[in-house]
Structure formats: C-alpha cells, structure tokens
Amino acid sequence: MSITRQVTAVAVGLGLVTLAACGSSDDGTSSGSSKTVTLVSHDSWAVSKGVLAAFEKQSGYTVKVLKDGDAGQAVNKAILTKDNPQGDVFFGVDNTLLSRALDNGLFQSYEAKGADAILPAYRTDEDKHRVTPIDTGDICVNYDKAWFSEHKLTPPESFDDLIKPAYKDLLVTENASTSSPGLGFLLGSAAKYGDDGWAGYWTKLKANGVKVVDGWEQAYNEEFSGSAGGKKAKADRPLVVSYASSPPAEVIFADPKPATAPTGVATGTCFRQVEYAGLLSNAGNSEGGKALLDFLVGKTFQEDMPLNMFVYPVREGAKVPAEFTEFGPQAKDPETMDPAKIAEHRDQWVKSWTSLVLK
Amino acid sequence: MDIARTEVTKARGAPEAAAGAARRKGAALRGALLALPVVFFALFFAYPVAAIVARGLHVDGVWRLEQVGEVLGDSGIRHVLWFTFWQALASTALTLLIALPGAYVFARFDFRGKQILRAVVTVPFVLPTVVVGTAFLALVGRGGLLDELWGVRLDTTVWAILLAHVFFNYAVVVRTVGGLWAQLDPRQEEAARVLGASRFAAWRQVTLPALAPAVGAAALMVFLFTFTSFGVVQILGGPTFATLEVEIYRQTSEIFDLGTAAVLTIVQFVAVGAILAVHAGTVRRRESALRLVAPETTARRPRGRGQWALLGGVLVSIAVLLVLPLAVLVQRSFGTPGGAGLGYYKALTRDDSGIFLVAPIAAIGNSLQYAVVATGIAVAVGSLAAVALTRRDAGWLVRGFDALLMLPLGVSAVTVGFGFLIALDEPPLDLRSSWILVPLAQALVGVPFVVRTMLPVLRAVDGRLREAAAVLGASPWRVWREVDLPIVRRALLVAAGFAFAVSLGEFGATVFIARPDNPTLPVAVARLLGRPGDLNYGQAMALSTILMVVCAVALLVLERLRTDRTGEF
C-alpha cells in the first residue's frame, strides 16, 4: 500500500516546486520598498507609456497599477480592504458612488499640488480635501447617423424628445441597478424632472418602447445599430445611452478611419459624471501616493488622459484633442447633481425605477 | 476514527495486531495523502468564503442572523429563487432530450470525423460565457438564423437561456452517458432479444438499468451548472431574469449589500450541497460492477435507414446548436470593414491601445502560462485526493470530502473573489496582488475535473496486481511504476488536459484578480468588448476565435489519448 506514499512524495514535490516558482519570480510585492507606489483603479484606467515613464523618472517612484474590476466593483473592493489597502492611491470613484467611499472612510486628507488649477465646477469636499477631481465625462444618448438620414428623421436632442411618438421603440438603455451609464441616465432624468417628476417621465419612456438591457456592452455592441458590433449583429435600435466620447472613439478605433463619426450625441440628454482620486487611508507609501496625486492633476497627465480613457480633463486650460472637438462636441448644459443628494436618494430611486420599468 | 479502533485491537493476539497495524498505517497514509488537498481547499476556498459570509452577517460585533428571514421574506428574492430552480430544471430536461441521442450516436456509431466532432462539442463547455454569449445572440437574436428563416427571435426570452444551456452542457451528457454507453456490451441486449424480448423491452431491461445512474449523474451535473448559471443569464436574459448567482453578484458588486449577499450565498451553498450529496449517491451506485468492454468493439457503422436518419438528426442538431454560434464568432473575427481579412488579428500585436499596457496578443502567452501552473496545482491536489478516495476502506468523512471538492463549481466567483481579498491579505499569505492567485483560483475549478477523471480509473486497478508484485519482491516505488503508472498515466494526462482547458476558459474568478499587465484571454476579450469602436470589437472576436482554437486543439489531443471513458467529463 505504500505505493500511495510514492504518489504523495511526487505530488507534494510538484506542489512545492510550484510554490517555490511563485516565490522566486514574484516581482511586485506589496510589502515593498517605498520606491514603489501602487495605484488601485477600475478596468478603464489607461495611460500612455511615455507619460507614466516620465513621471517615474522624474519622481523616482515605480508605479504599479492594479485594475480591480468595473467602477462599482473597484470601489467596493477598496472599501472592503481599507484597513489593509491594496495600494496607496485609488482612482475612479465617481459622483454617483462618492458618498459610499467617503462615509466608509476610504480616503485621508491631502490637497494635491496644482489642485487650484481645477475648474471650480468640479471641486468638492473642499474643507477636508479627501478627494481630488481628475476627469469628467457626460453620459448621453448616442444616435446612429446613417439610420436617421435613411429614415429622413431628425435625431432627438433632449429628454423631452425621447418620449415623442416619432422616436417610439428606438432607444436602448442599461439597467440602472447594474450599470453606471444606466444609473447616470436615471439620475439625469431625476435632475431634469425633479424628485416628483422623474417617475412620470419613465412611465412615458416605457410606453414609448424603451428597451432595457443589463450592461453597456450589450446595449452598445448588440442593440445599438450605430456601433461596429451592432452593425454585425444587425441591431435595430438607433438610440443608445452611452458617453459623449463614444463618437470620437468610433473614429479613433476604426481602420481605416472614417472622415466623420458614424454616431452623434443628443446634447440635451446628458448627465455629467466626475471621477475622483484620493490617498487611501492606511496607505503604505503615502509620500509616493501624494506625488502620484500631484501627477494626476498635472498638465501632462490631464492632456494625455482623453485619448486613453475617453474622458475630459478637469484642469483649466488643459488641451482637448482635436478628435474630441471635431467628432463629439461636449454637452453645453449637462444635468448635474450634488453627490450628497445622490447618496440620499440613489438606492430608493433605483428600487422604484426597477419596479417601474423592469416589472 | 480508524485510529481509535485500532487502539482497541492492539491488545489482542498477534495476527490481529498485525491487521490493526496495517489498518492504522492505512489511515495514516490516507491522512498524509489528503493533507495537501485539505490544506488547499481550506486555505483557498473554505476560509475566504467563510470570511466574506461572516463579514456580511457579523456587523459591529453582533451576528445578524435575523437577516436570513428578512432576505428570504422578500418577494423579489423569492422570485429569483423560483426562477433559478425552474430554469435549471427546464434546462436539464432540454439538455437531456437533445444530448441523449448524441450520446448514443457517439457511443454506438462509427463515422468519419467522430474524434474531431467529440472535441468540437466539448469546446463550448470550456469557453467563457462572455465570449459565446455574444455569438449565441447571433443565432437566436435579431437577424440571427432563426430570425431570417422563420422570423423567430428569442433574445431576452427564457428560450435563449435554455438553448444556451444546452449549448454549454451538451458535452457533459455526451461524455458522461456516452462514455459508459460505449463500454456496455451490446451482446447482453442481443442475448435478451434472442431469448424473445422485443427491442424496446431488451433496451429497457438490460441497457437502461445499467445506464440510469450515468444519466442521473449527468442530469445532476447539468442541473448544478445551470442552477449556478451566471454569464448566460446575464447576457441573454436581460435585466428581467436573474439567477441566485446573478443576484449574489449584483448584491456584492453593485449594491454592496454584503448581508443580503451572505444570506444568498448560504442558500446557494445549501442547495448545491444537496445536489452534490445526491450526486455522490448516484456516482457510488454507478460504480456497482458492470461488465465493461473496450469502446472500440461496440461502435460500428450505422446500418439501415433508421440509424442513418438518427445519425443525420444528431449531426444537424450539433451543427445548428453548437457549431453555428462558434462559426459566427469566427466569421465576425474576419469581417473587417474593408471585407474579409486578417485586420483584427494583425491589430492584436499592437500595444498602443492603452487598455492593457501590453499588446492583446500577449494575453495568449499569459493564458498559457497561467493554465500550465493551474494545471500543475490541480493535478497535484486532485490526484492526491483521488488516490486517497480510491481506497475501499474510506469512511464517510473521506467520501464527503469528494463532494466537498466539487463545491467550488457551485459557489459564485464573486464570493470567492471578494473572500480572497479580505482573507488572504496578511503575510505570509498576502497573495492579493500576487500572480499566483490567478492559477490558484483556476485550479479550484480544475480539481473536481481531475478527481472525477482519475477516480474511476484508479478504482479499476486490481489491488491483487500490486500485491502480487510486492510478493515477488518489488519495492513500493517499483510497484507504483510498473503497475499503477502504466494504467493511470493516460488518465493523468487526460485529467491534466481537461484542467488545462478549463483553466484557459475560466473567467469568473480570474476577472477579479487578473492584473492589467498580464490579462488572460477571456479577460482581454471582456475588456475589449467594454470599449466602443470597430477595432476593439473585432479584436475581441479575433481573440475569442484564438481561444476557441487553442481549447479545441487541447481537447483534440485529449481525444487521441483517451482510452477509458468511464470518467465523467
């Protein structure tokens, strides 16, 4: 019967070899020198290599990036691990989730150098400086230009337009309880029609045939006739809740690049999102974290950001790439909402919205 | 347990003392064999899951068990529970209905391309749902084949979910039931017919009883997989359909109500535990002695119109339900705006997108590396467990461990992922940002497949062979090398291959822990799909196609290696 012991020996050996292999080649450990600074973010984080390398060279820090799921997930994970955080700086909590992060004590105070150059409209928490605004983007209805010209119909412009009979059965949006553009669109309608009016608006929108799918990927790639995926899937919804920066992305990520964007933005349907970064409480390398925050609001990063993450800078005078202004004009007067108000109502609104629209 | 008993026997006569010593040695040996699997399971599954559940139910130093009642009393939650249950039942029935003829055809008929086809039908099972859910929409959704032929659209209906479940689980039935069917001696049925039984009576009284436990086991596995279905329901079901798994994800990841998530996790745990307990029972019954013959001897070319029609029918159902969605994926990967071409594949080698810090093509290398390590871990842990479980004197505790090792298949990835975060966060086990976490999570899913493949083969090794070798003076090592290894080697390779394919396709847990500089194939696909633009979408399709081909090749190699087909997968 001691054959089996041989098996044990072989297998345990295998296991040890495996573990040893991990030990030896594990380069980036969290309990590292203070020369490494770790940025925790969501999946959409992106930066040009050269820009990050320049920061590393100038500051002497090595930046390690940890992408931790979609926006909501990344925030939740950061809160769960706040006593023993995975990194030093968290980037990517937006105004819809800001209160969850602040109430849970996710961040410590630090006023980034250069924060005074941030446009006043985006500043928040100015007495405590727990978060720093980094970028902004608008959640807006996008339309398929070809579809509308083919059907000789003017694309909608505003929230009010969307409930008109001419646009019946054309819009697809996302589940407000599982998708951040879906939630943004709901908040936009609440900002526009008020605490008492938004439910009535959605009743009309539902009667006008709005379709709800679970996530942005399905809405944009499968249902929206203007996207690359949608064209292949013979999608039949020419209106989708997406971002103001989606049309430029359709140009930039095309080969060959078209002369003009295949999609446009209904500028009167926008809700403004602001994304913040902060120094994590209990950060192992708070000096490095501070330097990283300074870098995030600095001009170089702010100007590099748009084409990587498809958002707008918050810094005054930061240049916006030509593709943005050419293919996707920024909304002139987007809906906004105070994070405190969002915190107060979000859960109740989402609940009411779910029973109103999905049931 | 066994040790206590041997203490008593010690005082008796010499032969009994020897027997007692042998038994004690056996128990100690089993303990040694199980040590690694137990530690692995406890550290990387039980502890993290318990930690996250406790975090949800233990708030401010008080256990909030009244939440269980509150959550279960919620009508929305009860609706989710009911849907989870009935769609799993319906999916299982439909899968059996469509796949059982397939199992018969693969078992009894010989036809050209059978090996390739068997690999092809297994590809969906190891592909991540995020990849095929998209392609499946092209079949049953708007503008899909059904739509063009008959104007039927099934997207966001429950039919899309059920058909996708057939797509994913077809191989479970073909492999579990078909594997055994191929080894049943057809002469037994023929003998019954010679003795005057009708064809149906012979089948019902001879083949069916032998097959029933395998059908039961397959049905339970399909039920388990569909009960915990996540990606399929999320992509095809739209926001109105949610399974327990989807709801746990939503509560944990979006709403951040850990209390509700913890209660739901416990509910799913209990349900999955019950399924596995029943499953363990059927597996044991299945192992009752059946006279098995080599599969090559039972399959022959179809004869007569009826058999050819059956073969044809099965091939058509496979073509429509399984091959077509995969073909759509391939077609889209070549469908560049400028006509069919390799544009999307070429784009995979560029690293200027900023999404990954590396070129998407690097995901292939990452995936392969992770899968190799995950396979090593899964094979080490799984084969040790299988060897320990083989021993006939194994008590219920050990058999229970068999079922326990299957649990990771039925517990939501988000629970495990969040559990990893809060449980494995201190040295020496601060693995949160270590790359080893990915293969560990993948191995968790691979172990059950290794155990299920190895166990039947190990049990079939005649103990007398080992004893004979030992009596003739062979050292234990030599006995293992000359008796066990030749018999087990193939099973070991097959198990490794399957663990490898499953690791390649694993998405749920990986997406929680993969780092940006080394994404796996499924993670890269998901991230590309998460961005607008033709090139991103096309690259996602191209990467999916590559993943599919890699999985298919791995499975095809398995087909060549595989001789014994009593294993379950």
Side-chain angles (χ1 to χ4, degrees):
Chain A
M1 284 298 150
S2 45
I3 318 130
T4 37
R5 188 182 297 161
Q6 301 295 339
V7 185
T8 325
V10 172
V12 168
L14 247 177
L16 289 180
V17 168
T18 317
L19 286 175
C22 335
S24 60
S25 61
D26 196 349
D27 45 354
T29 45
S30 53
S31 58
S33 63
S34 59
K35 284 286 116 193
T36 299
V37 56
T38 304
L39 174 75
V40 186
S41 185
H42 49 56
D43 290 339
S44 310
W45 162 266
V47 61
S48 297
K49 270 185 184 162
V51 167
L52 196 63
F55 165 71
E56 290 184 325
K57 198 169 173 210
Q58 166 247 315
S59 67
Y61 291 110
T62 309
V63 180
K64 204 180 123 192
V65 179
L66 196 72
K67 290 203 220 186
D68 223 4
D70 66 34
Q73 221 174 70
V75 172
N76 294 347
K77 284 185 181 178
I79 293 172
L80 267 182
T81 56
K82 75 175 157 78
D83 295 334
N84 180 10
Q86 292 181 281
D88 308 300
V89 169
F90 183 88
F91 161 77
V93 55
D94 64 30
N95 44 340
T96 65
L97 288 174
L98 184 62
S99 61
R100 186 186 285 171
L102 293 182
D103 294 349
N104 279 287
L106 189 57
F107 299 115
Q108 53 177 301
S109 256
Y110 173 66
E111 186 178 3
K113 285 192 194 80
D116 50 349
I118 292 168
L119 291 163
Y122 303 124
R123 295 185 198 168
T124 186
D125 195 43
E126 285 193 283
D127 45 340
K128 292 191 186 145
H129 293 293
R130 288 168 296 181
V131 286
T132 311
I134 303 295
D135 68 74
T136 174
D138 293 334
I139 291 165
C140 310
V141 169
N142 283 204
Y143 58 84
D144 174 2
K145 284 181 181 167
W147 192 94
F148 280 97
S149 73
E150 202 178 298
H151 289 76
K152 304 203 167 31
L153 193 65
T154 354
E157 275 170 17
S158 63
F159 279 104
D160 280 337
D161 284 349
L162 296 174
I163 52 176
K164 288 181 180 160
Y167 304 111
K168 194 172 169 59
D169 296 335
L170 301 187
L171 175 66
V172 57
T173 184
E174 297 88 0
N175 187 349
S177 77
T178 53
S179 147
S180 98
L183 177 63
F185 190 55
L186 165 62
L187 293 175
S189 70
K192 168 91 182 163
Y193 299 102
D195 301 3
D196 304 319
W198 71 266
Y201 176 73
W202 276 92
T203 309
K204 288 179 198 150
L205 208 53
K206 193 182 177 188
N208 210 28
V210 65
K211 179 171 184 173
V212 184
V213 296
D214 232 31
W216 179 89
E217 287 84 351
Q218 287 107 278
Y220 197 84
N221 290 331
E222 297 292 340
E223 303 289 341
F224 177 48
S225 60
S227 70
K231 281 191 198 96
K232 284 178 189 160
K234 296 178 190 141
D236 60 1
R237 298 251 160 185
L239 296 174
V240 65
V241 172
S242 187
Y243 297 90
S245 58
S246 303
E250 286 289 350
V251 176
I252 292 158
F253 292 113
D255 194 14
K257 291 192 195 338
T260 174
T263 59
V265 163
T267 48
T269 61
C270 297
F271 175 76
R272 180 146 295 177
Q273 252 184 337
V274 183
E275 277 193 303
Y276 307 90
L279 186 61
L280 286 163
S281 306
N282 308 309
N285 181 5
S286 45
E287 283 318 304
K290 287 172 182 172
L292 188 57
L293 276 171
D294 299 345
F295 164 67
L296 293 181
V297 293
K299 196 160 182 234
T300 317
F301 178 77
Q302 288 280 316
E303 292 188 343
D304 176 62
M305 197 171 54
L307 284 180
N308 280 299
M309 293 193 272
F310 287 84
V311 289
Y312 285 86
V314 293
R315 193 186 165 98
E316 208 165 355
K319 271 206 275 315
V320 174
E323 288 98 327
F324 271 45
T325 43
E326 196 176 334
F327 302 117
Q330 210 176 0
K332 280 174 213 81
D333 194 16
E335 304 295 336
T336 55
M337 199 181 282
D338 180 25
K341 180 166 182 186
I342 297 175
E344 195 185 325
H345 294 284
R346 185 187 55 227
D347 292 350
Q348 189 48 48
W349 280 345
V350 168
K351 235 183 183 154
S352 315
W353 180 89
T354 303
S355 52
L356 187 74
V357 181
L358 294 184
K359 299 265 157 77
Chain B
M1 186 178 57
D2 282 5
I3 292 173
R5 225 181 300 144
T6 54
E7 293 301 328
V8 180
T9 55
K10 207 186 257 180
R12 300 199 192 144
E16 281 167 40
R23 197 185 305 159
R24 194 169 35 175
K25 201 173 154 200
L29 191 60
R30 189 161 61 238
L33 283 170
L34 276 178
L36 181 65
V38 168
V39 167
F40 174 79
F41 184 82
L43 219 51
F44 299 119
F45 180 71
Y47 171 50
V49 170
I52 189 74
V53 168
R55 183 75 161 251
L57 292 179
H58 193 236
V59 180
D60 299 329
V62 190
W63 283 96
R64 307 228 353 245
L65 295 178
E66 72 277 4
Q67 282 210 34
V68 177
E70 282 168 27
V71 171
L72 295 181
D74 185 281
S75 70
I77 297 288
R78 282 215 306 273
H79 180 81
V80 168
L81 280 172
W82 170 235
F83 174 74
T84 307
F85 179 76
W86 82 253
Q87 67 78 24
L89 209 59
S91 297
T92 307
L94 195 64
T95 308
L96 286 178
L97 192 74
I98 295 176
L100 277 178
Y104 176 78
V105 163
F106 275 108
R108 288 294 196 228
F109 291 164
D110 231 349
F111 52 92
R112 197 185 292 229
K114 184 166 144 181
Q115 279 191 337
I116 293 175
L117 201 61
R118 202 202 305 273
V120 166
V121 301
T122 314
V123 166
F125 184 71
V126 294
L127 279 189
T129 48
V130 57
V131 172
V132 248
T134 313
F136 207 77
L137 262 182
L139 179 64
V140 298
R142 154 200 355 91
L145 190 81
L146 293 182
D147 194 7
E148 284 187 354
L149 288 181
W150 302 294
V152 179
R153 280 178 56 179
L154 300 174
D155 49 332
T156 71
T157 70
V158 76
W159 284 103
I161 296 175
L162 298 185
L163 285 176
H165 282 161
V166 175
F167 171 78
F168 276 104
N169 294 304
Y170 191 92
V172 176
V173 177
V174 166
R175 292 194 168 248
T176 312
V177 181
L180 184 67
W181 212 333
Q183 288 179 294
L184 291 179
D185 195 340
R187 281 170 304 185
Q188 289 176 332
E189 212 176 286
E190 280 155 22
R193 294 205 54 204
V194 168
L195 293 173
S198 70
R199 179 176 290 209
F200 178 69
W203 181 79
R204 193 170 55 92
Q205 290 180 348
V206 177
T207 307
L208 189 62
L211 221 49
V215 175
L220 279 162
M221 284 324 288
V222 175
F223 189 84
L224 173 71
F225 291 137
T226 52
F227 187 82
T228 56
S229 182
F230 177 71
V232 166
V233 177
Q234 245 209 343
I235 295 173
L236 298 177
T240 41
F241 295 114
T243 54
L244 206 44
E245 185 99 358
V246 172
E247 190 62 22
I248 291 172
Y249 175 84
R250 220 167 60 88
Q251 294 288 348
T252 311
S253 207
E254 310 289 342
I255 302 175
F256 205 46
D257 182 347
L258 295 182
T260 302
V263 174
L264 295 179
T265 300
I266 292 171
V267 170
Q268 180 155 338
F269 221 81
V270 171
V272 168
I275 298 169
L276 289 176
V278 178
H279 181 258
T282 42
V283 167
R284 219 171 18 260
R285 261 187 290 132
R286 197 153 71 91
E287 278 156 9
S288 59
L290 286 172
R291 207 142 51 84
L292 300 180
V293 295
E296 303 82 56
T297 62
T298 66
R300 52 181 172 68
R301 286 186 68 74
R303 274 184 299 218
R305 193 172 286 178
Q307 294 195 344
W308 279 108
L310 179 62
L311 177 61
V314 165
L315 291 182
V316 167
S317 70
I318 290 176
V320 170
L321 266 171
L322 281 83
V323 177
L324 213 58
L326 299 179
V328 166
L329 214 64
V330 178
Q331 185 230 330
R332 287 190 180 179
S333 75
F334 290 108
T336 55
L342 290 169
Y344 296 141
Y345 289 87
K346 284 186 190 136
L348 291 175
T349 56
R350 299 212 306 250
D351 65 345
D352 53 1
S353 72
I355 315 183
F356 301 117
L357 313 174
V358 291
I361 198 89
I364 298 170
N366 291 331
S367 261
L368 291 175
Q369 282 173 17
Y370 282 138
V372 165
V373 179
T375 305
I377 300 172
V379 166
V381 171
S383 55
L384 279 176
V387 170
L389 292 167
T390 313
R391 302 173 52 87
R392 300 212 178 277
D393 54 343
W396 63 271
L397 243 171
V398 175
R399 288 202 306 269
F401 188 66
D402 180 13
L404 219 57
L405 282 172
M406 306 270 284
L407 262 185
L409 293 179
V411 171
S412 92
V414 65
T415 306
V416 178
F418 272 53
F420 270 11
L421 268 186
I422 60 166
L424 307 177
D425 68 334
E426 269 163 39
L429 268 180
D430 185 2
L431 300 178
R432 292 177 306 175
S433 54
S434 164
W435 67 271
I436 192 70
L437 217 48
V438 175
L440 278 173
Q442 292 174 344
L444 217 46
V445 188
V447 167
F449 293 92
V450 175
V451 174
R452 298 255 73 81
T453 314
M454 298 278 294
L455 209 49
V457 181
L458 280 168
R459 283 194 174 138
V461 177
D462 194 334
R464 284 171 302 186
L465 279 176
R466 301 189 187 110
E467 282 157 25
V471 167
L472 292 173
S475 68
W477 169 241
R478 189 145 176 225
V479 173
W480 153 249
R481 207 183 57 207
E482 310 245 338
V483 177
D484 288 68
L485 190 63
I487 300 171
V488 171
R489 197 179 55 205
R490 270 171 183 254
L492 203 64
L493 285 172
V494 170
F498 221 101
F500 183 75
V502 170
S503 304
L504 272 184
E506 209 286 331
F507 175 70
T510 311
V511 72
F512 272 85
I513 41 202
R515 291 188 297 175
D517 45 344
N518 40 18
T520 65
L521 277 171
V523 170
V525 169
R527 291 202 178 140
L528 284 166
L529 282 176
R531 290 189 136 199
D534 179 65
L535 210 51
N536 289 323
Y537 185 86
Q539 288 185 78
M541 294 299 128
L543 266 188
S544 302
T545 304
I546 291 174
L547 174 61
M548 198 171 78
V549 170
V550 174
C551 283
V553 168
L555 290 165
L556 208 59
V557 172
L558 284 194
E559 284 304 323
R560 299 243 158 225
L561 289 171
R562 198 175 182 108
T563 50
D564 180 281
R565 293 189 200 281
T566 45
E568 258 180 51
F569 295 105

